[in-house]
Amino acid sequence: MEILRPVLINIHGRIYRKNAVQEESYEEEEEDYSYSEADAEQCLDEPCDAHDIQQTEKGFRCAIDVPSVLYKYIIGKKGETRKRLESETKTSISIPKQGVEGQIVVTGAHRAAVASAVTRVEVLIDSFRRKQPFTHFLSFALNPPQVQEGFLRFREQVLEHCGQDSGVDVSIFQNPAKLHLTIGTLVLLSQQEVTRADELLQQCQNVIRDITEAKPLPVEVRGIEYMNDDPSEVDVLYAKVAVRDGSDKLQQIADRLVECFVSAGLMERERDRVKLHGTVMNTLFRKDPSAEDRGVSGRPNVKDREAFNARNILQMFGKVYFGEFELNSVQISQRFSTDSTGYYSSAGRVTFS
């Protein structure tokens, strides 16, 4: 780690320095996060009101909502992590049984001790949450019948004219019913977190309607592009989507949604502006038709992927027309799911009109 430029973590508006420590850990490398006395004093001066620390007959108590899948990171191998936290903060940390959704409860004789333990637990949880695969994503569906038909024509023509090119076969094409634009990914580890994300999306509806003037957006799906620098070694080929009137309203909606979800701590910002892209070919599908890329980088998981030569496809179909339609909603899509229409199951949706 760069000593003069350590990794910082933002928890409820307070910044903590991350110190990585190698330990004999359970299942995977464990990281320890610490903060200075000044940070602890700040927690007292602005007391940790993000969580309600209550006074009891025996001292102080604070309950924290934590998804059950993250309990093991607070417990540690043979309970070592919890024991260390309890010893260093002079508190008691009660954790529900694995698989049972509930609250982690921190108790102690002194408010400062409970505040310290709560903050340490939060920093650990934030660290290990970042390592979890995404479970949901914000999406615009690009699957009206006319666009699906355009995509199927594109697939047929590519296989007919470019099927002999290296790596090109039917297995790497997107499922037409699941054509979409990904706005951003979410790690929602409990029903409570899914509900929170849905509520946040509902709060964004007025912002979206201000941009669209409470009308659907006429959009056109036309042209293809690739992610990386070498057209002969491509993993992702995507369709380009534009608003018919030439405005950037779709980009505005995507950027505002990301801003909202990042501010709420439900999403990580991957770039300054959302790269709107509708995947039509992806080498991840070769082994797993339900696979989804986390972001828009050109070659994630390179060792597990066989790239394809897209030179001829780009030359012959660079301006291919898939179709146009009126886009009227954005939804929280559940990864690895399918609804009655063939699209992803929705955990929340708002409309433009």
Side-chain angles (χ1 to χ4, degrees):
M1 181 175 64
E2 183 68 51
I3 295 177
L4 297 179
R5 300 178 66 184
V7 177
L8 303 177
I9 295 179
N10 186 321
I11 301 289
H12 300 306
R14 291 187 295 277
I15 305 300
Y16 299 93
R17 181 181 63 251
K18 166 181 165 182
N19 297 325
V21 177
Q22 298 285 345
E23 298 183 354
E24 292 184 4
S25 62
Y26 57 98
E27 298 181 359
E28 58 184 300
E29 177 181 310
E30 180 180 334
E31 295 180 350
D32 182 41
Y33 298 90
S34 60
Y35 51 93
S36 66
E37 291 182 6
D39 294 321
E41 290 173 1
Q42 179 183 10
C43 191
L44 287 176
D45 291 340
E46 314 167 358
C48 302
D49 289 333
H51 295 289
D52 183 21
I53 300 179
Q54 302 174 337
Q55 187 166 9
T56 66
E57 293 181 357
K58 297 182 179 180
F60 295 86
R61 174 186 185 278
C62 184
I64 317 167
D65 290 314
V66 177
S68 62
V69 296
L70 299 180
Y71 293 165
K72 62 182 179 181
Y73 300 119
I74 303 302
I75 297 171
K77 184 179 180 180
K78 297 181 180 179
E80 288 301 320
T81 301
R82 174 165 57 181
K83 291 175 184 176
R84 185 178 73 246
L85 289 171
E86 290 177 330
S87 173
E88 292 178 354
T89 61
K90 295 181 174 56
T91 59
S92 176
I93 302 175
S94 175
I95 302 174
K97 293 181 179 180
Q98 191 64 42
V100 177
E101 295 296 340
Q103 294 181 312
I104 290 180
V105 178
V106 180
T107 57
H110 303 285
R111 183 185 183 89
V114 171
S116 174
V118 167
T119 300
R120 293 193 186 196
V121 168
E122 285 185 324
V123 174
L124 277 174
I125 290 302
D126 181 78
S127 167
F128 287 109
R129 176 184 288 279
R130 293 169 188 265
K131 297 180 179 180
Q132 304 300 310
F134 74 94
T135 60
H136 297 73
F137 56 99
L138 285 175
S139 74
F140 298 123
L142 298 181
N143 64 347
Q146 60 271 34
V147 175
Q148 290 194 49
E149 291 171 7
F151 170 79
L152 290 173
R153 287 193 299 271
F154 165 74
R155 185 179 70 181
E156 180 181 356
Q157 292 170 2
V158 167
L159 292 174
E160 178 183 352
H161 297 286
C162 309
Q164 300 304 313
D165 293 347
S166 175
V168 176
D169 64 61
V170 69
S171 70
I172 64 176
F173 285 85
Q174 174 66 282
N175 177 343
K178 291 193 171 182
L179 290 167
H180 67 277
L181 294 177
T182 298
I183 301 167
T185 58
L186 304 163
V187 178
L188 307 177
L189 302 177
S190 67
Q191 184 55 48
Q192 182 178 14
E193 292 186 350
V194 172
T195 299
R196 181 185 171 208
D198 178 32
E199 291 173 347
L200 184 60
L201 181 60
Q202 303 305 318
Q203 293 170 18
C204 296
Q205 186 168 53
N206 288 338
V207 173
I208 293 173
R209 290 184 175 179
D210 285 344
I211 296 172
T212 67
E213 299 177 349
K215 302 175 183 177
L217 279 183
V219 299
E220 179 181 74
V221 186
R222 181 191 294 272
I224 53 174
E225 251 314 336
Y226 61 105
M227 290 295 186
N228 57 309
D229 297 326
D230 185 354
S232 68
E233 291 285 325
V234 172
D235 279 317
V236 177
L237 199 68
Y238 64 92
K240 295 185 283 188
V241 182
V243 181
R244 291 290 307 281
D245 65 7
S247 71
D248 67 344
K249 291 179 181 179
L250 194 61
Q251 184 71 54
Q252 289 183 50
I253 294 171
D255 290 339
R256 291 295 297 272
L257 284 170
V258 168
E259 180 182 334
C260 181
F261 276 75
V262 168
S263 297
L266 289 175
M267 183 182 290
E268 290 187 47
R269 186 182 297 279
E270 297 181 0
R271 55 183 62 223
D272 291 338
R273 302 193 77 190
V274 177
K275 183 175 178 63
L276 294 172
H277 66 289
T279 298
V280 293
M281 299 173 71
N282 188 333
T283 57
L284 282 179
F285 300 152
R286 199 186 303 279
K287 291 184 178 180
D288 180 5
S290 66
E292 290 291 336
D293 267 326
R294 178 177 180 86
V296 296
S297 57
R299 302 285 314 269
N301 303 319
V302 173
K303 66 180 181 179
D304 298 328
R305 307 174 76 156
E306 175 193 349
F308 65 96
N309 186 345
R311 288 186 183 277
N312 289 331
I313 299 175
L314 290 162
Q315 183 176 358
M316 298 176 66
F317 304 101
K319 297 182 179 180
V320 62
Y321 175 73
F322 293 96
E324 57 189 68
F325 68 102
E326 289 194 338
L327 181 64
N328 194 36
S329 69
V330 57
Q331 76 170 45
I332 299 172
S333 298
Q334 183 177 337
R335 195 181 186 191
F336 306 129
S337 69
T338 304
D339 67 13
S340 60
T341 70
Y343 193 63
Y344 298 95
S345 298
S346 173
R349 182 195 307 269
V350 295
T351 59
F352 299 173
S353 61

